[in-house]
Amino acid sequence: MPNIVLVGFMGVGKSTIAARLAKMLKMKVVEMDKLIEKRQEMSISDIFERNGEDYFRDLETELLRELAGETGIIVSTGGGVVLRRENRDLMRQTGIVVLLHANVHTIYRRVTMNDRRPLASRQSKAQIGALMKKRELFYELSADLKVSINRKTVPMICQEIIRKIEEMEEKNV
Ligand code: S3P
């Protein structure tokens, strides 16, 4: 199985799906946000607050450069990773880029439940919807394939991802 890179808006379930896929496929998970927090010894919210968003985006790009050389990994990205062209290219070099998407109601319910996300906390549903819309093109530009998560269980989503990757691979040989 090639590397799999999961992209999608905040709250779409990238971490949960990555963990389950890794178990099913016996691959290793790389949680970009968690790894950045560990290396910086700071939470994402603190990095944003102290060093600003651009600094955080540079850390994401650096990490993606590292990951492009690895094998056997499922990468769970942060929701804003698709914004930079260089990141999109690096993700493509790393593996199959899978876009998880959900409707604004699901996303809103999930991202406002806690305070961990500096770009989503204290936002209205309309503001979340506007940010989703603004990013839509970048998600589309990044993805090799797309999976909707609405009304599906975690195993259903994982099976769908695996099936679609296998179909893609068959077509390419
Ligand atoms: C961000 C998403 C977050 C995290 C940071 C910025 C974004 O990751 O990287 O708060 O710009 O969408 P999740 O998608 O895991 O919430």
Side-chain angles (χ1 to χ4, degrees):
M1 185 56 83
N3 291 335
I4 302 173
V5 183
L6 299 179
V7 299
F9 202 78
M10 293 173 268
V12 83
K14 298 178 294 282
S15 303
T16 308
I17 301 296
R20 181 66 69 101
L21 275 177
K23 214 169 164 188
M24 291 167 79
L25 298 168
K26 299 194 173 44
M27 290 164 81
K28 198 183 122 202
V29 190
V30 179
E31 267 286 341
M32 289 187 60
D33 281 355
K34 282 213 188 104
L35 196 51
I36 289 173
E37 287 182 326
K38 198 169 146 206
R39 289 179 176 179
Q40 297 290 305
E41 298 178 337
M42 244 193 271
S43 69
I44 300 289
S45 297
D46 285 344
I47 299 174
F48 266 70
E49 206 170 296
R50 291 189 203 174
N51 305 103
E53 181 170 345
D54 283 350
Y55 178 84
F56 173 73
R57 299 294 173 207
D58 288 339
L59 296 174
E60 286 187 311
T61 304
E62 269 171 42
L63 182 52
L64 282 175
R65 284 192 198 123
E66 260 180 62
L67 297 177
E70 300 221 2
T71 53
I73 54 171
I74 314 273
V75 185
S76 173
T77 62
V81 83
V82 295
L83 299 174
R84 284 192 183 177
R85 165 92 198 260
E86 183 181 0
N87 293 355
R88 298 196 295 270
D89 292 342
L90 284 166
M91 290 191 292
R92 276 274 165 79
Q93 284 168 36
T94 306
I96 309 276
V97 183
V98 179
L99 170 61
L100 300 177
H101 72 103
N103 60 41
V104 66
H105 315 289
T106 308
I107 297 288
Y108 178 71
R109 190 165 25 84
R110 291 185 182 186
V111 295
T112 47
M113 268 183 343
N114 64 56
D115 225 18
R116 284 199 319 260
R117 292 179 169 105
L119 297 179
S121 54
R122 292 181 294 277
Q123 299 285 306
S124 67
K125 196 188 262 190
Q127 284 168 318
I128 297 282
L131 186 59
M132 285 174 77
K133 191 108 204 99
K134 211 168 126 190
R135 288 187 172 177
E136 209 169 76
L137 173 70
F138 299 103
Y139 289 119
E140 298 287 341
L141 281 175
S142 310
D144 293 306
L145 57 92
K146 203 168 146 182
V147 173
S148 160
I149 62 132
N150 293 317
R151 291 177 302 276
K152 289 177 195 158
T153 63
V154 172
M156 278 162 76
I157 297 164
C158 292
Q159 294 295 356
E160 187 173 334
I161 293 172
I162 294 169
R163 180 176 51 75
K164 285 186 169 164
I165 291 177
E166 283 170 352
E167 279 170 12
M168 249 182 84
E169 302 247 286
E170 275 164 29
K171 274 189 210 135
N172 286 338
V173 287

